């Protein structure tokens, strides 16, 4: 209910304009992470990742409806401007 399927039906490298005409309007978001950085992708968002050099990558779905409030509170505390 309200969630995206596990994978996108669109082949991002060879999209079909007939099957997915609005894909041409999509805007990519790009992030390059440095060692020690973390990218949080909301549950249900499609994403594609590439390792630019040999590395260890961990993908874990940890944000869900049961722990959402606790994680949001932790983020707010961690990014409190008065503590930076």
């Amino acid at each position: 209910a309200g969630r995206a399927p596990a994978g996108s039906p669109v082949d991002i490298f060879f999209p079909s304009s007939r099957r997915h005409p609005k894909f041409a309007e999509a805007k990519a978001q790009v992030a390059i992470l440095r060692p020690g950085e973390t990218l949080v992708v909301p549950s249900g968002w499609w994403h594609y990742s590439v390792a630019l050099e040999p590395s260890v990558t961990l993908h874990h779905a940890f944000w869900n409806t049961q722990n959402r409030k606790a994680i949001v509170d932790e983020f707010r505390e961690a990014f409190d401007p008065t503590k930076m």
Side-chain angles (χ1 to χ4, degrees):
R3 298 196 116 167
S8 170
V10 180
D11 179 339
I12 63 169
F13 296 110
F14 302 102
S16 167
S17 59
R18 182 184 57 77
R19 290 180 58 207
H20 308 287
K22 290 191 171 194
F23 183 75
E25 301 170 23
K27 303 290 183 222
Q29 302 295 315
V30 177
I32 297 176
L33 303 181
R34 293 179 292 226
E37 293 183 324
T38 301
L39 176 65
V40 176
V41 179
S43 179
W45 284 28
W46 291 332
H47 62 281
Y48 178 79
S49 62
V50 174
L52 300 177
E53 57 188 50
S55 63
V56 174
T57 303
L58 173 66
H59 172 263
H60 179 69
F62 66 90
W63 182 326
N64 58 40
T65 56
Q66 286 77 36
N67 65 11
R68 179 188 167 281
K69 183 177 177 352
I71 289 176
V72 168
D73 290 344
E74 277 191 48
F75 283 158
R76 283 193 178 123
E77 185 176 317
F79 295 107
D80 182 348
T82 62
K83 296 180 181 180
M84 294 182 149

Coordinates of all heavy atoms in Angstrom, one line a residue:
A1 N 0.8 -1.2 0.0 CA 0.0 0.0 0.0 C 0.9 1.2 0.0 O 1.5 1.5 1.0 CB -0.9 0.0 1.2
G2 N 0.9 1.9 -1.1 CA 1.7 3.2 -1.2 C 3.2 2.9 -1.3 O 4.0 3.9 -1.3
R3 N 3.6 1.7 -1.6 CA 5.1 1.4 -1.7 C 5.4 1.0 -3.1 O 4.6 0.4 -3.8 CB 5.4 0.3 -0.7 CG 5.2 0.6 0.7 CD 5.9 -0.3 1.5 NE 6.9 0.5 2.2 CZ 7.6 0.1 3.2 NH1 7.5 -1.1 3.7 NH2 8.5 0.9 3.8
A4 N 6.6 1.3 -3.5 CA 7.1 0.9 -4.8 C 7.5 -0.5 -4.8 O 7.9 -1.1 -3.8 CB 8.3 1.8 -5.2
P5 N 7.5 -1.2 -6.0 CA 8.0 -2.5 -6.1 C 9.5 -2.5 -5.8 O 10.1 -1.5 -5.8 CB 7.6 -3.0 -7.5 CG 7.4 -1.7 -8.2 CD 7.0 -0.7 -7.3
A6 N 10.0 -3.7 -5.5 CA 11.4 -3.8 -5.2 C 12.4 -3.3 -6.3 O 13.5 -2.8 -6.0 CB 11.8 -5.3 -4.8
G7 N 12.0 -3.4 -7.5 CA 12.8 -2.9 -8.6 C 12.0 -2.1 -9.6 O 10.8 -2.2 -9.7
S8 N 12.7 -1.2 -10.3 CA 12.0 -0.4 -11.3 C 11.8 -1.1 -12.5 O 12.6 -1.9 -13.0 CB 12.9 0.8 -11.6 OG 12.4 1.6 -12.7
P9 N 10.6 -0.9 -13.2 CA 10.3 -1.5 -14.4 C 11.1 -0.8 -15.6 O 11.1 -1.3 -16.7 CB 8.8 -1.4 -14.6 CG 8.5 -0.2 -13.8 CD 9.5 -0.2 -12.6
V10 N 11.7 0.3 -15.3 CA 12.4 1.1 -16.3 C 13.9 0.7 -16.3 O 14.6 0.6 -15.3 CB 12.3 2.6 -16.0 CG1 13.0 3.4 -17.1 CG2 10.9 3.0 -15.9
D11 N 14.4 0.3 -17.5 CA 15.8 0.1 -17.7 C 16.4 1.5 -17.9 O 16.3 2.2 -18.9 CB 16.1 -0.7 -18.9 CG 17.6 -1.0 -19.2 OD1 18.4 -0.2 -18.7 OD2 17.9 -2.0 -19.9
I12 N 17.1 2.0 -16.8 CA 17.6 3.4 -16.9 C 18.7 3.6 -17.9 O 18.9 4.8 -18.3 CB 18.1 3.8 -15.5 CG1 19.4 3.0 -15.1 CG2 17.0 3.8 -14.4 CD1 20.1 3.6 -13.9
F13 N 19.3 2.6 -18.4 CA 20.3 2.8 -19.5 C 19.7 2.7 -20.9 O 20.2 3.3 -21.8 CB 21.4 1.7 -19.3 CG 22.2 1.9 -18.0 CD1 22.1 0.9 -17.0 CD2 23.0 3.0 -17.8 CE1 22.8 1.1 -15.8 CE2 23.7 3.1 -16.6 CZ 23.6 2.2 -15.6
F14 N 18.6 2.0 -21.0 CA 17.9 1.9 -22.3 C 16.4 2.0 -22.1 O 15.7 1.0 -22.3 CB 18.3 0.5 -23.0 CG 19.7 0.3 -23.2 CD1 20.5 -0.5 -22.4 CD2 20.4 1.0 -24.2 CE1 21.8 -0.6 -22.6 CE2 21.8 0.9 -24.4 CZ 22.5 0.0 -23.6
P15 N 15.9 3.2 -21.6 CA 14.5 3.3 -21.3 C 13.7 3.3 -22.6 O 14.1 3.8 -23.7 CB 14.4 4.7 -20.7 CG 15.6 5.4 -21.2 CD 16.7 4.4 -21.4
S16 N 12.5 2.7 -22.5 CA 11.5 2.7 -23.6 C 10.6 3.9 -23.5 O 9.8 4.0 -22.5 CB 10.7 1.4 -23.5 OG 9.6 1.5 -24.4
S17 N 10.8 4.8 -24.4 CA 9.9 6.0 -24.4 C 8.4 5.6 -24.7 O 7.5 6.3 -24.3 CB 10.4 7.0 -25.4 OG 10.4 6.5 -26.7
R18 N 8.2 4.5 -25.3 CA 6.8 4.0 -25.6 C 6.2 3.5 -24.3 O 5.1 3.8 -23.9 CB 6.8 2.9 -26.6 CG 5.4 2.4 -27.0 CD 5.5 1.3 -28.0 NE 6.3 0.1 -27.6 CZ 5.9 -0.8 -26.7 NH1 4.7 -0.7 -26.1 NH2 6.7 -1.8 -26.4
R19 N 7.0 2.6 -23.5 CA 6.4 2.1 -22.3 C 6.5 3.0 -21.1 O 5.7 2.9 -20.2 CB 7.2 0.8 -22.0 CG 7.0 -0.4 -22.9 CD 7.7 -1.6 -22.6 NE 7.4 -2.0 -21.2 CZ 8.3 -2.8 -20.5 NH1 9.4 -3.1 -20.9 NH2 7.9 -3.1 -19.3
H20 N 7.4 3.9 -21.1 CA 7.6 4.8 -20.0 C 7.9 6.3 -20.5 O 9.0 6.8 -20.3 CB 8.8 4.4 -19.1 CG 8.7 2.9 -18.7 ND1 7.8 2.5 -17.8 CD2 9.4 1.8 -19.2 CE1 8.0 1.2 -17.6 NE2 8.9 0.8 -18.5
P21 N 6.9 6.9 -21.0 CA 7.0 8.2 -21.7 C 7.5 9.3 -20.7 O 8.1 10.2 -21.1 CB 5.7 8.5 -22.3 CG 4.7 7.6 -21.5 CD 5.5 6.4 -21.1
K22 N 7.1 9.2 -19.4 CA 7.5 10.3 -18.5 C 8.9 10.1 -18.0 O 9.4 11.0 -17.3 CB 6.5 10.3 -17.3 CG 5.1 10.8 -17.7 CD 4.3 11.0 -16.5 CE 3.0 11.7 -17.0 NZ 2.3 12.3 -15.8
F23 N 9.6 9.0 -18.3 CA 11.0 8.9 -17.8 C 11.9 10.0 -18.3 O 12.8 10.4 -17.6 CB 11.5 7.5 -18.2 CG 12.9 7.2 -17.7 CD1 13.1 6.9 -16.3 CD2 14.0 7.4 -18.5 CE1 14.3 6.7 -15.8 CE2 15.3 7.1 -18.0 CZ 15.5 6.8 -16.6
A24 N 11.6 10.5 -19.5 CA 12.4 11.6 -20.0 C 12.4 12.8 -19.2 O 13.3 13.7 -19.2 CB 12.0 11.9 -21.5
E25 N 11.3 13.0 -18.4 CA 11.1 14.1 -17.5 C 11.8 13.9 -16.1 O 11.9 14.9 -15.3 CB 9.6 14.4 -17.3 CG 8.9 14.7 -18.5 CD 7.4 14.7 -18.3 OE1 6.9 14.9 -17.2 OE2 6.6 14.5 -19.3
A26 N 12.3 12.7 -15.8 CA 12.8 12.4 -14.5 C 14.2 13.2 -14.3 O 14.9 13.4 -15.3 CB 13.1 10.9 -14.4
K27 N 14.4 13.6 -13.1 CA 15.6 14.3 -12.8 C 16.5 13.4 -11.9 O 16.0 13.0 -10.8 CB 15.3 15.6 -12.1 CG 14.5 16.6 -12.9 CD 15.2 17.1 -14.1 CE 14.3 18.1 -14.9 NZ 14.3 17.9 -16.3
A28 N 17.7 13.2 -12.2 CA 18.6 12.3 -11.4 C 19.1 13.1 -10.2 O 19.4 14.3 -10.3 CB 19.7 11.8 -12.2
Q29 N 19.3 12.5 -9.1 CA 20.0 13.1 -7.9 C 21.3 12.3 -7.8 O 21.3 11.1 -7.8 CB 19.1 12.9 -6.7 CG 17.7 13.5 -6.8 CD 17.8 15.0 -6.9 OE1 18.6 15.7 -6.2 NE2 17.1 15.6 -7.8
V30 N 22.4 13.0 -7.7 CA 23.7 12.3 -7.7 C 24.4 12.7 -6.3 O 24.4 13.8 -5.9 CB 24.6 12.8 -8.9 CG1 25.9 12.1 -8.8 CG2 23.9 12.4 -10.2
A31 N 25.0 11.7 -5.7 CA 25.7 11.9 -4.5 C 27.0 11.0 -4.6 O 26.9 9.9 -5.0 CB 24.9 11.5 -3.3
I32 N 28.1 11.7 -4.3 CA 29.4 10.9 -4.2 C 29.8 10.9 -2.8 O 30.0 12.0 -2.2 CB 30.5 11.5 -5.1 CG1 30.0 11.5 -6.6 CG2 31.8 10.8 -4.9 CD1 30.9 12.1 -7.6
L33 N 29.9 9.7 -2.2 CA 30.2 9.6 -0.8 C 31.7 9.4 -0.6 O 32.3 8.7 -1.3 CB 29.4 8.5 -0.2 CG 27.9 8.5 -0.3 CD1 27.3 7.3 0.4 CD2 27.3 9.8 0.2
R34 N 32.2 10.0 0.5 CA 33.6 9.8 0.9 C 33.6 8.8 2.0 O 32.6 8.5 2.6 CB 34.2 11.2 1.3 CG 34.3 12.2 0.2 CD 34.9 13.5 0.7 NE 33.8 14.1 1.5 CZ 33.5 15.3 1.5 NH1 34.0 16.2 0.7 NH2 32.6 15.8 2.3
P35 N 34.8 8.3 2.3 CA 34.9 7.3 3.3 C 34.3 7.8 4.6 O 34.4 8.9 5.0 CB 36.4 7.1 3.5 CG 37.0 7.4 2.2 CD 36.1 8.5 1.7
G36 N 33.4 6.9 5.2 CA 32.8 7.3 6.5 C 31.4 7.9 6.3 O 30.7 8.1 7.3
E37 N 31.1 8.3 5.1 CA 29.8 9.0 4.9 C 28.7 7.9 4.7 O 29.0 6.8 4.2 CB 29.9 10.0 3.7 CG 30.7 11.1 4.0 CD 30.8 12.1 2.9 OE1 30.7 11.7 1.7 OE2 30.8 13.3 3.2
T38 N 27.5 8.4 5.0 CA 26.3 7.5 4.8 C 25.2 8.2 4.0 O 25.0 9.4 4.2 CB 25.7 7.1 6.2 OG1 26.7 6.5 7.0 CG2 24.5 6.2 6.1
L39 N 24.6 7.5 3.1 CA 23.5 8.0 2.4 C 22.2 7.2 2.8 O 22.2 6.0 2.8 CB 23.7 7.8 0.9 CG 22.5 8.3 0.0 CD1 22.3 9.8 0.1 CD2 22.8 7.9 -1.4
V40 N 21.2 8.0 3.3 CA 20.0 7.3 3.7 C 19.0 7.5 2.6 O 18.7 8.7 2.2 CB 19.4 7.9 5.0 CG1 18.1 7.3 5.4 CG2 20.4 7.7 6.1
V41 N 18.5 6.5 2.0 CA 17.5 6.5 1.0 C 16.1 6.0 1.6 O 16.1 4.9 2.1 CB 17.9 5.6 -0.2 CG1 16.8 5.6 -1.3 CG2 19.2 6.0 -0.8
P42 N 15.1 6.9 1.5 CA 13.8 6.5 2.1 C 13.3 5.2 1.5 O 13.5 4.9 0.3 CB 12.9 7.7 1.8 CG 13.8 8.8 1.6 CD 15.1 8.2 1.0
S43 N 12.6 4.4 2.4 CA 12.0 3.2 2.0 C 11.1 3.4 0.8 O 10.3 4.3 0.8 CB 11.3 2.6 3.2 OG 10.7 1.4 2.8
G44 N 11.2 2.5 -0.2 CA 10.3 2.6 -1.4 C 10.9 3.4 -2.5 O 10.3 3.5 -3.6
W45 N 11.9 4.2 -2.3 CA 12.5 5.0 -3.3 C 13.4 4.1 -4.2 O 14.2 3.4 -3.7 CB 13.4 6.1 -2.7 CG 12.6 7.3 -2.2 CD1 11.3 7.3 -1.7 CD2 13.1 8.6 -2.1 NE1 11.0 8.5 -1.2 CE2 12.0 9.4 -1.5 CE3 14.2 9.3 -2.4 CZ2 12.1 10.7 -1.2 CZ3 14.3 10.6 -2.2 CH2 13.3 11.3 -1.6
W46 N 13.3 4.2 -5.5 CA 14.2 3.5 -6.4 C 15.5 4.2 -6.4 O 15.6 5.4 -6.3 CB 13.6 3.5 -7.8 CG 12.4 2.7 -7.9 CD1 12.0 1.6 -7.2 CD2 11.4 2.8 -8.9 NE1 10.8 1.1 -7.6 CE2 10.4 1.8 -8.7 CE3 11.2 3.7 -9.9 CZ2 9.3 1.7 -9.4 CZ3 10.0 3.6 -10.7 CH2 9.1 2.6 -10.4
H47 N 16.6 3.4 -6.4 CA 17.9 4.0 -6.4 C 18.9 3.1 -7.2 O 18.6 1.9 -7.4 CB 18.5 4.2 -5.0 CG 18.6 3.0 -4.2 ND1 17.5 2.4 -3.6 CD2 19.7 2.2 -3.9 CE1 18.0 1.3 -3.0 NE2 19.3 1.2 -3.2
Y48 N 19.9 3.6 -7.7 CA 20.9 2.9 -8.4 C 22.3 3.4 -7.9 O 22.5 4.6 -7.7 CB 20.8 3.2 -9.9 CG 21.9 2.5 -10.7 CD1 21.8 1.2 -11.1 CD2 23.0 3.2 -11.1 CE1 22.7 0.6 -11.8 CE2 24.0 2.6 -11.9 CZ 23.8 1.2 -12.2 OH 24.8 0.6 -13.0
S49 N 23.2 2.5 -7.6 CA 24.5 2.9 -7.0 C 25.6 2.2 -7.8 O 25.4 1.1 -8.4 CB 24.6 2.5 -5.6 OG 24.4 1.1 -5.4
V50 N 26.7 2.9 -7.8 CA 27.9 2.4 -8.5 C 29.1 2.7 -7.6 O 29.2 3.8 -7.0 CB 28.2 3.1 -9.8 CG1 29.5 2.8 -10.4 CG2 27.0 2.9 -10.8
A51 N 30.0 1.7 -7.4 CA 31.2 1.9 -6.6 C 32.3 2.5 -7.6 O 32.5 1.8 -8.6 CB 31.7 0.6 -6.0
L52 N 32.8 3.6 -7.3 CA 33.8 4.3 -8.2 C 35.2 3.7 -8.1 O 36.0 3.9 -8.9 CB 33.8 5.8 -8.0 CG 32.5 6.5 -8.2 CD1 32.6 8.0 -7.9 CD2 32.0 6.3 -9.7
E53 N 35.4 3.0 -7.0 CA 36.7 2.3 -6.7 C 36.4 1.1 -5.8 O 35.3 1.0 -5.3 CB 37.7 3.2 -6.1 CG 37.2 3.8 -4.8 CD 38.1 4.9 -4.3 OE1 38.4 5.8 -5.0 OE2 38.5 4.8 -3.1
P54 N 37.3 0.2 -5.7 CA 37.1 -1.0 -4.9 C 36.7 -0.6 -3.4 O 37.3 0.3 -2.9 CB 38.4 -1.7 -4.8 CG 39.1 -1.3 -6.1 CD 38.6 0.1 -6.3
S55 N 35.6 -1.1 -2.9 CA 35.1 -0.7 -1.6 C 34.2 -1.8 -1.1 O 33.8 -2.7 -1.8 CB 34.4 0.6 -1.7 OG 33.2 0.5 -2.6
V56 N 33.8 -1.6 0.2 CA 32.8 -2.4 0.8 C 31.5 -1.5 1.0 O 31.6 -0.4 1.5 CB 33.3 -2.9 2.2 CG1 32.2 -3.6 2.9 CG2 34.5 -3.7 2.1
T57 N 30.4 -2.0 0.5 CA 29.2 -1.3 0.5 C 28.2 -2.1 1.3 O 28.0 -3.3 1.1 CB 28.6 -1.0 -0.9 OG1 29.6 -0.4 -1.6 CG2 27.4 -0.2 -0.9
L58 N 27.5 -1.4 2.2 CA 26.4 -2.1 3.0 C 25.1 -1.5 2.7 O 24.9 -0.3 2.7 CB 26.7 -1.9 4.5 CG 25.6 -2.4 5.5 CD1 25.5 -3.9 5.4 CD2 26.0 -1.9 6.9
H59 N 24.2 -2.3 2.3 CA 22.8 -1.9 2.0 C 21.9 -2.5 3.0 O 21.9 -3.8 3.1 CB 22.4 -2.3 0.6 CG 20.9 -2.0 0.3 ND1 20.0 -2.9 0.4 CD2 20.3 -0.8 0.0 CE1 18.8 -2.4 0.2 NE2 19.0 -1.1 -0.1
H60 N 21.2 -1.7 3.8 CA 20.3 -2.3 4.8 C 19.1 -1.5 5.0 O 19.2 -0.3 5.2 CB 21.1 -2.4 6.2 CG 20.3 -2.9 7.3 ND1 19.9 -4.3 7.3 CD2 19.7 -2.4 8.4 CE1 19.2 -4.5 8.4 NE2 19.1 -3.3 9.1
A61 N 18.0 -2.1 4.9 CA 16.7 -1.4 5.0 C 16.4 -1.3 6.5 O 15.9 -2.3 7.2 CB 15.6 -2.1 4.3
F62 N 16.7 -0.1 7.1 CA 16.5 0.0 8.6 C 15.5 1.0 9.0 O 15.1 1.1 10.1 CB 17.8 0.3 9.3 CG 18.4 1.7 8.9 CD1 18.0 2.8 9.7 CD2 19.2 1.9 7.8 CE1 18.5 4.0 9.4 CE2 19.7 3.1 7.5 CZ 19.4 4.2 8.3
W63 N 15.0 1.8 8.0 CA 14.0 2.8 8.4 C 12.7 2.3 8.0 O 12.4 2.0 6.8 CB 14.3 4.1 7.6 CG 13.4 5.3 7.8 CD1 12.1 5.2 8.1 CD2 13.8 6.6 7.8 NE1 11.6 6.5 8.3 CE2 12.6 7.4 8.1 CE3 15.0 7.3 7.6 CZ2 12.7 8.8 8.2 CZ3 15.0 8.7 7.7 CH2 13.8 9.4 7.9
N64 N 11.8 2.1 8.9 CA 10.4 1.6 8.6 C 9.4 2.3 9.5 O 9.8 3.2 10.3 CB 10.4 0.1 8.8 CG 10.8 -0.4 10.1 OD1 10.5 0.2 11.1 ND2 11.6 -1.4 10.2
T65 N 8.2 1.9 9.4 CA 7.1 2.6 10.2 C 7.3 2.4 11.7 O 6.8 3.2 12.4 CB 5.7 2.2 9.7 OG1 5.6 0.7 9.8 CG2 5.5 2.6 8.3
Q66 N 7.9 1.3 12.1 CA 8.0 1.0 13.5 C 9.1 1.8 14.1 O 9.0 2.2 15.3 CB 8.3 -0.5 13.7 CG 7.1 -1.4 13.5 CD 6.8 -1.7 12.1 OE1 7.7 -1.8 11.2 NE2 5.6 -1.8 11.7
N67 N 10.2 2.2 13.4 CA 11.3 2.9 14.1 C 11.4 4.3 13.5 O 12.4 5.0 13.9 CB 12.6 2.1 14.0 CG 13.0 2.0 12.5 OD1 12.5 2.6 11.6 ND2 14.0 1.1 12.3
R68 N 10.5 4.8 12.7 CA 10.6 6.1 12.1 C 10.8 7.2 13.1 O 11.7 8.0 12.9 CB 9.4 6.4 11.2 CG 9.4 7.7 10.5 CD 8.1 8.0 9.8 NE 8.0 9.4 9.4 CZ 7.7 10.4 10.3 NH1 7.5 10.2 11.5 NH2 7.6 11.6 9.8
K69 N 10.0 7.3 14.1 CA 10.1 8.4 15.0 C 11.4 8.4 15.7 O 12.1 9.5 15.9 CB 9.0 8.4 16.1 CG 9.0 9.5 17.0 CD 7.9 9.5 18.0 CE 7.9 10.6 19.0 NZ 9.0 11.5 19.1
A70 N 11.9 7.3 16.2 CA 13.2 7.2 16.9 C 14.4 7.7 16.0 O 15.2 8.4 16.4 CB 13.5 5.8 17.4
I71 N 14.3 7.3 14.7 CA 15.4 7.6 13.8 C 15.3 9.1 13.5 O 16.4 9.8 13.5 CB 15.3 6.8 12.5 CG1 15.8 5.4 12.8 CG2 16.2 7.4 11.4 CD1 15.7 4.4 11.7
V72 N 14.1 9.7 13.3 CA 14.0 11.1 13.0 C 14.5 11.9 14.2 O 15.2 12.9 14.1 CB 12.5 11.5 12.7 CG1 12.3 13.0 12.7 CG2 12.1 10.9 11.3
D73 N 14.2 11.5 15.4 CA 14.7 12.1 16.6 C 16.2 12.1 16.7 O 16.8 13.1 17.1 CB 14.1 11.5 17.9 CG 12.6 11.8 18.0 OD1 12.1 12.7 17.3 OD2 11.9 11.1 18.8
E74 N 16.8 10.9 16.4 CA 18.2 10.8 16.4 C 18.9 11.8 15.4 O 19.9 12.4 15.7 CB 18.7 9.4 16.1 CG 18.6 8.5 17.3 CD 19.3 7.2 17.0 OE1 20.4 7.2 16.5 OE2 18.7 6.1 17.3
F75 N 18.3 11.8 14.2 CA 18.8 12.7 13.1 C 18.7 14.2 13.6 O 19.7 15.0 13.4 CB 18.1 12.6 11.8 CG 18.5 11.4 11.0 CD1 17.7 10.8 10.1 CD2 19.7 10.7 11.2 CE1 18.0 9.7 9.3 CE2 20.1 9.6 10.5 CZ 19.2 9.1 9.6
R76 N 17.6 14.6 14.2 CA 17.5 16.0 14.6 C 18.5 16.3 15.7 O 19.1 17.4 15.7 CB 16.0 16.2 15.2 CG 15.0 16.3 14.1 CD 13.7 16.8 14.6 NE 12.7 17.0 13.6 CZ 11.6 16.4 13.5 NH1 11.1 15.6 14.5 NH2 10.8 16.6 12.5
E77 N 18.7 15.4 16.6 CA 19.7 15.6 17.7 C 21.1 15.7 17.1 O 21.9 16.5 17.5 CB 19.6 14.5 18.7 CG 20.6 14.7 19.9 CD 20.4 13.7 21.0 OE1 19.3 13.3 21.3 OE2 21.5 13.2 21.5
A78 N 21.4 14.8 16.2 CA 22.8 14.8 15.6 C 23.1 16.0 14.8 O 24.2 16.5 14.7 CB 22.9 13.5 14.7
F79 N 22.0 16.6 14.1 CA 22.2 17.8 13.3 C 21.7 19.0 13.9 O 21.4 20.0 13.3 CB 21.6 17.5 11.9 CG 22.2 16.4 11.2 CD1 21.5 15.2 11.0 CD2 23.4 16.6 10.6 CE1 22.1 14.2 10.3 CE2 24.0 15.6 9.9 CZ 23.4 14.3 9.8
D80 N 21.7 19.1 15.3 CA 21.3 20.2 16.0 C 22.4 21.3 15.8 O 23.5 21.1 16.2 CB 21.2 19.9 17.5 CG 20.7 21.1 18.3 OD1 20.7 22.2 17.8 OD2 20.3 20.8 19.5
P81 N 22.1 22.4 15.2 CA 23.1 23.5 14.9 C 23.8 24.0 16.1 O 24.9 24.4 16.1 CB 22.3 24.6 14.2 CG 20.9 24.1 14.0 CD 20.8 22.8 14.7
T82 N 23.1 23.9 17.3 CA 23.7 24.5 18.5 C 24.8 23.5 19.0 O 25.6 23.9 19.8 CB 22.7 24.7 19.6 OG1 22.1 23.4 19.9 CG2 21.6 25.6 19.2
K83 N 24.8 22.3 18.5 CA 25.8 21.3 18.9 C 27.0 21.2 17.9 O 27.9 20.4 18.1 CB 25.2 20.0 19.2 CG 24.2 20.0 20.3 CD 23.6 18.6 20.6 CE 22.6 18.7 21.7 NZ 22.0 17.3 21.9
M84 N 26.9 21.9 16.8 CA 27.9 21.8 15.8 C 29.0 22.8 16.0 O 28.9 23.8 16.5 CB 27.3 21.9 14.4 CG 26.3 20.8 14.1 SD 25.7 21.1 12.4 CE 25.4 19.4 12.0

